[in-house]
């Protein structure tokens, strides 16, 4: 398949033509909000603009991320929420420059600290990875190399960006391990990851990510593999360190409880696109997109009468063949009310008249009204 | 660790003893006539009796086993035709067809085989692993397909045909022959080059595929992504982080391969006229030279058991998560 054909596939066309126009009000809205903010003057440290990530496969192109735009300033935390295959991990891997250029097509723009990541040379990307931006991965048992000591791995990360002796790098590693709360760090430096507990491994992972003082920290579901008490400790740690380092944190998760705890802003993704974006109080308190409603409804109630879980019906869409119109329409209980608009046309990511700090992608004329009257009473 | 080692060595020894007794049973109890074979065409009853006595064939089998084991530890003395032959420990017997103590024969043949096999191993490990890594990194490309195809092609040819082709057509290689390493390392290496290359190419083909598979699996691991996210060079990612982990399963195969090759690189030795263990055992088999055959079996079992133990110990060095005990 050639490129022009790609652009003319039915599900892509409405978005493709209308999206650039849509993005403008969004950026206007954001600048305005920042204008009233105390951290007004600074340009956002991370700026993602019209990001598209495509994996060409034998079955056709897999469009993992389409037309994604957002910004993130230093000292703030953006939570990216969505289920598997929503594009949340793929987009953050693109920010890290971790996609294999031979099997990935990335278009649009990613600017980190004023530097453009898309199209960067391999040597520049290497300085960027772990230097200006670092990533904490989920599941530390498999994300740390089992054959090397924890110290070795942190030292290697530091020396990849600093021309220092092993001794200096070791001291730095000890310092970092201490700061992430590992007792007796000098002694634990020579332990292998399997000698650490799950929580300690994640702490070591965080130490490794922070060793070069990155201004952008991407945490990819850093607490999923941990039990609840350890989860809380790790979240506290990340927030504390963010204060200390003053970095921007991009937090990928599917746990709305975690979002409520740590995020300033929330970006909800579905089928590779942003469906809702705004401040955390707005998105969790008065969500405008049926998918976000579904996420809220599917949180199990931990108190009161035991009730059945309310999962979102259906399955995540195939990125090879997204549904026409709104990608969410096959799973949306409100799609039938709109006279077929949902199946025909991809809704634009717009901010509703009342509130310009947030955007959502839904055909419903007044989604907040629907949320208040129909969804809220159903929530536990 | 020490207790584990002692236990493993004890079990290794018992495996070897059982193998020894079993082969003893097979060779000596079998309906054959070793003394008659050695005695040959112009045999006289006296000579026959003499040979029988010197092989202890006139004694009960259990006692023969006992004598053999005693010879291994303390040495023994043979009486043959009025001659007294001292066989020092470890005595593996006396070959009447060659007129030499078996220990001495093995002592001559073993360095040849070890030289061939270890030299060949250097070739196939280096070539195979490197090619495997290259193929894994370019997985799915034409280069990868060509490499895997070539590897399968080489392995589809029976080894002796390959060895024969090299022996016949690779005339640019220096003439094969064995010269002891300690006499002159250069002539040693030159004489073995053809054998190394043959053994090397045939096994490199297989090791390319092992290394490729292991490397593809490792490069998909999360910790490789973590390594890339650190900003280290791709070469460091592949060789330090990837190969380091990918090499463990290859070590298992290598240990067993090495044991198998050490017990007799028969084709390689025969094609290039190198007097190693394989050739020695084969000759012993044709001439029914029981003491030499017995020694061959014994060495084979020792090498196999030792290599297994060695691989297990190697694991603890390769993978810090593995602890013996």
């Amino acid at each position: 398949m050639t490129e022009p054909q790609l652009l003319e596939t039915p599900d892509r066309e409405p978005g493709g033509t209308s999206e650039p126009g849509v993005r403008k009000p969004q950026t206007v809205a954001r600048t305005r909000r920042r204008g009233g903010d105390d951290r007004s003057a600074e340009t956002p440290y991370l700026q993602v603009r019209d990001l598209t990530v495509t994996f060409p496969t034998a079955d056709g192109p897999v469009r993992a991320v389409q037309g994604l735009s957002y910004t993130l300033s230093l000292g703030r935390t953006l939570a990216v929420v969505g289920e598997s295959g929503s594009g949340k991990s793929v987009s953050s891997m693109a920010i890290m420059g971790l996609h294999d250029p031979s099997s990935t097509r990335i278009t649009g723009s990613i600017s980190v600290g004023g530097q453009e990541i898309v199209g960067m040379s391999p040597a520049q990307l290497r300085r960027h990875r772990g230097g200006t931006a670092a990533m904490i991965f989920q599941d530390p048992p498999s994300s740390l190399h089992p054959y090397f000591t924890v110290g070795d791995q942190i030292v290697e990360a530091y020396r990849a960006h600093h021309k220092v002796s092993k001794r200096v790098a070791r001291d730095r590693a000890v310092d970092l391990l201490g700061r992430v709360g590992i007792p007796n760090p000098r002694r634990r430096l020579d332990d292998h990851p399997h000698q650490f507990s799950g929580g300690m491994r994640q702490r070591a992972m965080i130490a490794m990510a922070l060793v070069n003082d990155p201004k952008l920290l991407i945490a990819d579901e850093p607490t999923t593999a941990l039990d609840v008490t350890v989860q809380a400790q790790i979240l506290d740690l990340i927030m504390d360190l963010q204060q200390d380092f003053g970095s921007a944190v991009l937090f990928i998760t599917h746990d709305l409880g975690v979002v409520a705890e740590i995020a300033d802003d929330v970006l909800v993704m579905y089928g590779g696109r942003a469906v809702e974006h705004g401040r955390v109080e707005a998105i969790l308190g008065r969500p405008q997109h049926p998918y976000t409603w579904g996420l809220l409804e599917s949180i199990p109630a931990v108190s009161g009468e035991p009730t059945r879980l309310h999962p979102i019906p259906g399955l995540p869409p195939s990125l090879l063949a997204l549904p026409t119109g709104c990608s969410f329409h096959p799973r949306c209980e409100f799609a039938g009310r709109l006279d077929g608009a949902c199946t025909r046309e991809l809704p634009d990511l717009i901010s509703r008249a009342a509130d310009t700090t947030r955007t959502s992608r839904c055909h419903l004329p007044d989604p907040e009204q629907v949320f208040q009257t129909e969804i809220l009473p159903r929530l536990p | 660790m020490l207790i584990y080692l002692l236990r493993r060595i004890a079990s290794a020894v018992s495996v070897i003893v059982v193998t020894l007794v079993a082969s003893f049973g097979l060779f000596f109890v079998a309906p054959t006539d070793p003394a008659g074979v050695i005695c040959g065409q112009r045999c006289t009853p006296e000579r026959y009796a003499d040979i029988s006595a010197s092989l202890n064939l006139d004694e009960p089998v259990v006692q023969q086993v006992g004598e053999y084991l005693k010879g291994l530890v303390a040495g023994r003395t043979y009486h043959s035709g009025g001659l007294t032959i001292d066989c020092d420990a470890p005595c593996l017997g006396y070959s009447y067809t060659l007129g030499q103590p078996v220990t001495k024969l093995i002592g001559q043949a073993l360095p040849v085989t070890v030289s061939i096999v270890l030299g060949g191993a250097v070739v196939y490990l280096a070539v195979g692993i490197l090619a495997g890594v290259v193929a894994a990194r370019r997985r799915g490309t034409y280069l990868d397909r060509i490499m895997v195809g070539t590897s399968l092609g080489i392995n589809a040819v029976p080894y002796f045909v390959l060895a024969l082709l090299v022996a016949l057509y690779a005339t640019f290689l220096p003439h094969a022959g064995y010269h002891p390493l300690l006499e002159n390392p250069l002539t040693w290496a030159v004489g073995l080059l053809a054998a190394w290359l043959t053994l090397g190419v045939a096994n490199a083909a297989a090791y390319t595929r092992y290394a490729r598979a292991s490397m593809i699996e490792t490069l998909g691991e999360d910790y490789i992504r973590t390594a890339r996210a650190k900003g280290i060079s791709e070469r460091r990612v592949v060789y330090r982080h990837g190969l380091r982990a990918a090499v463990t399963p290859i070590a298992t195969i290598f240990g067993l391969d090495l044991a198998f090759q050490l017990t007799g690189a028969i084709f390689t030795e025969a094609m290039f006229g190198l007097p190693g263990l394989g050739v020695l055992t084969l000759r012993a088999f044709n001439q029914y030279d029981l003491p030499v055959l017995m020694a061959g079996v014994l060495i084979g079992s020792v090498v196999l058991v030792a290599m297994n133990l060695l691989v297990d110990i190697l694991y603890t060095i390769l993978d810090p998560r593995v602890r013996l005990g």
Side-chain angles (χ1 to χ4, degrees):
Chain A
M1 226 190 265
T2 55
E3 187 49 26
Q5 282 173 313
L6 283 186
L7 289 167
E8 275 155 25
T9 46
D11 74 303
R12 170 77 202 211
E13 197 173 15
T17 47
S18 56
E19 262 174 1
V22 175
R23 209 154 292 108
K24 265 177 212 143
Q26 187 201 352
T27 25
V28 169
R30 309 199 112 255
T31 357
R32 209 173 293 153
R33 179 163 67 80
R34 297 247 176 266
D37 228 74
D38 43 318
R39 32 178 128 248
S40 52
E42 60 184 298
T43 42
Y45 190 70
L46 169 66
Q47 290 178 291
V48 178
R49 213 165 292 137
D50 202 15
L51 177 69
T52 300
V53 183
T54 313
F55 303 109
T57 67
D59 302 322
V62 171
R63 289 183 214 116
V65 177
Q66 291 189 60
L68 183 66
S69 300
Y70 61 85
T71 59
L72 174 60
S73 297
L74 290 178
R76 292 186 74 82
T77 302
L78 170 70
V80 183
V81 185
E83 58 202 346
S84 315
S86 62
K88 56 191 197 308
S89 286
V90 171
S91 56
S92 51
M93 296 265 286
I95 296 168
M96 283 296 289
L98 275 174
H99 289 297
D100 179 0
S102 66
S103 58
T104 320
R105 280 223 7 246
I106 301 178
T107 60
S109 156
I110 301 168
S111 155
V112 179
Q115 280 199 307
E116 179 58 46
I117 304 301
V118 177
M120 221 181 206
S121 76
Q124 283 177 308
L125 265 184
R126 222 160 50 221
R127 279 194 291 279
H128 163 67
R129 286 198 292 251
T132 50
M135 195 154 178
I136 304 167
F137 296 98
Q138 59 175 313
D139 197 23
S142 59
S143 293
L144 288 169
H145 201 298
Y147 289 6
F148 299 121
T149 65
V150 172
D152 264 355
Q153 301 187 48
I154 300 176
V155 163
E156 184 182 40
Y158 191 59
R159 294 185 77 202
H161 299 276
H162 294 86
K163 293 229 169 305
V164 295
S165 70
K166 273 205 173 119
R167 270 193 72 84
V168 173
R170 269 180 77 89
D171 288 343
R172 170 81 182 163
V174 169
D175 178 36
L176 257 298
L177 280 182
R179 281 176 82 171
V180 298
I182 287 185
N184 216 338
R186 192 164 288 279
R187 205 169 49 76
R188 299 311 296 261
L189 206 59
D190 295 319
D191 280 353
H192 285 91
H194 70 271
Q195 290 161 293
F196 274 33
S197 69
M200 278 168 69
R201 276 183 219 142
Q202 194 54 288
R203 284 170 194 272
M205 192 84 200
I206 293 170
M208 193 161 87
L210 293 177
V211 76
N212 292 308
D213 256 325
K215 286 281 160 272
L216 173 63
L217 186 65
I218 301 176
D220 188 353
E221 309 203 15
T223 56
T224 3
L226 305 172
D227 61 54
V228 185
T229 47
V230 181
Q231 262 187 29
Q233 291 169 12
I234 296 291
L235 288 180
D236 284 346
L237 177 67
I238 292 178
M239 284 191 285
D240 285 351
L241 292 169
Q242 180 183 21
Q243 294 275 307
D244 295 357
F245 286 76
S247 39
V249 174
L250 187 65
F251 201 100
I252 302 165
T253 182
H254 55 246
D255 185 338
L256 290 181
V258 170
V259 173
E261 205 164 321
I262 70 153
D264 298 310
D265 303 288
V266 182
L267 174 75
V268 183
M269 290 188 72
Y270 186 81
R273 290 193 179 96
V275 293
E276 188 155 19
H277 186 191
R279 306 198 73 141
V280 64
E281 318 84 60
I283 303 295
L284 294 188
R286 294 168 282 115
Q288 293 179 340
H289 197 281
Y291 176 61
T292 319
W293 302 344
L295 290 178
L296 285 172
E297 279 188 274
S298 58
I299 299 174
V302 287
S303 56
E305 284 290 298
T307 48
R308 289 186 67 86
L309 280 176
H310 293 283
I312 303 172
L315 293 169
S318 158
L319 295 172
L320 274 167
L322 281 174
T324 55
C326 173
S327 313
F328 188 60
H329 84 258
R331 302 171 74 183
C332 181
E333 60 174 294
F334 305 97
R337 297 187 187 178
L338 288 160
D339 211 17
C342 297
T343 53
R344 274 197 315 272
E345 206 179 324
L346 177 69
D348 299 328
L349 190 66
I350 51 164
S351 46
R352 318 265 158 183
D355 190 351
T356 50
T357 64
R358 58 185 302 190
T359 51
S360 60
R361 193 190 283 278
C362 184
H363 282 305
L364 285 171
D366 191 356
E368 268 185 58
Q369 178 67 31
V370 178
F371 177 73
Q372 297 292 347
T373 55
E374 296 181 45
I375 306 295
L376 207 52
R378 275 198 259 161
L379 291 180
Chain B
M1 176 78 181
L2 187 71
I3 293 171
Y4 172 84
L5 268 185
L6 290 175
R7 224 173 44 219
R8 280 297 299 267
I9 289 170
S11 89
V13 169
S14 65
V15 167
I16 291 163
V17 169
V18 168
T19 315
L20 201 69
V21 172
S23 57
F24 224 91
L26 282 175
F27 288 140
F28 280 76
V29 183
T32 49
D33 182 13
V37 174
I38 294 168
C39 197
Q41 303 270 312
R42 294 166 289 137
C43 197
T44 60
E46 295 78 38
R47 189 168 145 73
Y48 184 86
D50 187 39
I51 292 172
S52 281
S54 67
L55 283 173
N56 303 97
L57 291 176
D58 48 354
E59 291 169 13
V61 177
V62 178
Q63 200 172 336
Q64 288 182 39
V65 176
E67 289 276 337
Y68 192 84
L69 291 177
K70 191 187 129 221
L72 277 176
V73 184
R76 61 201 282 200
T77 310
Y78 288 100
H79 303 282
S80 173
L83 284 170
T84 307
I85 301 154
D86 280 322
C87 181
D88 297 329
C91 176
L92 293 166
Y94 189 84
S95 166
Y96 286 90
T97 49
L98 291 174
Q100 299 219 40
V102 176
T103 311
K104 191 180 164 201
L105 291 171
I106 298 284
Q108 287 166 347
L110 197 60
V112 181
T113 303
V114 170
S115 299
I116 296 171
V117 171
L118 290 187
V122 170
V123 174
Y124 65 72
L125 284 182
V127 174
I129 290 177
L130 214 65
V133 171
V134 169
R137 288 181 69 180
R138 300 199 177 25
R139 182 186 184 188
T141 62
Y142 280 105
L143 181 71
D144 176 32
R145 285 178 211 176
I146 289 169
M147 287 174 86
V148 171
T150 311
S151 145
L152 287 169
I154 290 173
N155 281 156
V157 179
Y159 181 68
F160 62 90
V161 174
L162 199 74
L164 198 65
L165 287 175
V166 174
L168 286 177
Y169 293 104
T171 45
F172 50 87
L173 291 172
H175 191 70
Y178 184 76
H179 313 280
L181 170 68
L182 294 176
E183 271 174 27
N184 186 342
L186 191 69
T187 52
W188 171 78
V190 168
L192 289 167
L193 194 62
W196 288 344
L197 288 180
T198 312
L199 194 68
V201 166
N203 285 286
Y207 276 79
T208 299
R209 297 198 310 278
Y210 304 150
R212 177 182 178 274
S214 179
M215 200 65 191
I216 284 174
E217 196 186 323
T218 307
L219 287 181
E221 295 280 357
D222 286 347
Y223 52 76
I224 296 298
R225 187 184 56 185
T226 309
R228 284 210 180 95
K230 283 182 192 178
I232 55 178
S233 69
E234 182 65 14
R235 185 184 305 167
R236 202 172 158 87
V237 170
V238 170
Y239 289 95
R240 185 165 186 264
H241 290 254
L243 191 56
R244 175 69 180 74
V247 98
T248 311
I250 300 173
T252 317
I253 308 170
F254 176 59
L256 298 177
D257 269 1
L258 202 61
F260 180 72
Q261 287 160 0
L262 280 174
T263 55
I266 294 185
F267 289 123
T268 321
E269 291 168 14
M271 291 300 172
F272 297 103
L274 300 166
L277 270 185
V279 170
L280 183 72
T281 318
L282 193 64
R283 190 208 54 82
F285 188 77
N286 288 335
Q287 301 182 354
Y288 217 73
D289 193 343
L290 273 181
V292 174
L293 270 181
M294 286 290 304
V297 171
L298 182 65
I299 293 207
S301 59
V302 169
V303 165
L304 262 175
V305 170
M307 288 315 291
N308 269 314
L309 183 58
L310 219 63
V311 166
D312 285 353
I313 293 170
L314 193 64
Y315 263 165
T316 65
I317 298 167
L318 287 176
D319 188 342
R321 288 169 301 181
V322 177
R323 284 282 163 269
L324 300 179

